[in-house]
């Protein structure tokens, strides 16, 4: 790891915040995708019943 000197706390906290936000975006995207997929399956079932 490079020597960050007096800025180590700032840089490392920025890395941590960025990593947290990226993980949160991925998790939220996956959850939303599951929700949308479930809704689309319900609509497709309803449409196939109605012809």
């Amino acid at each position: 790891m490079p020597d960050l000197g007096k800025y180590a706390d700032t840089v490392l906290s920025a890395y941590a915040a960025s990593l947290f936000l990226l993980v949160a975006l991925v998790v939220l995207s996956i959850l939303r995708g599951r929700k949308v997929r479930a809704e689309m399956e319900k609509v497709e079932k309803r449409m196939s019943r109605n012809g």
Side-chain angles (χ1 to χ4, degrees):
M1 182 167 163
D3 181 28
L4 301 174
K6 66 180 182 177
Y7 300 109
D9 293 338
T10 304
V11 171
L12 293 177
S13 64
Y15 281 149
S18 298
L19 183 61
F20 172 76
L21 291 173
L22 285 172
V23 169
L25 283 172
V26 169
V27 169
L28 289 174
S29 295
I30 290 170
L31 293 175
R32 174 126 172 116
R34 288 181 182 171
K35 180 180 176 184
V36 169
R37 185 176 296 123
E39 287 291 324
M40 287 186 68
E41 287 175 1
K42 282 185 0 185
V43 169
E44 286 175 359
K45 285 181 184 178
R46 189 175 58 207
M47 293 299 285
S48 66
R49 277 187 286 159
N50 293 339

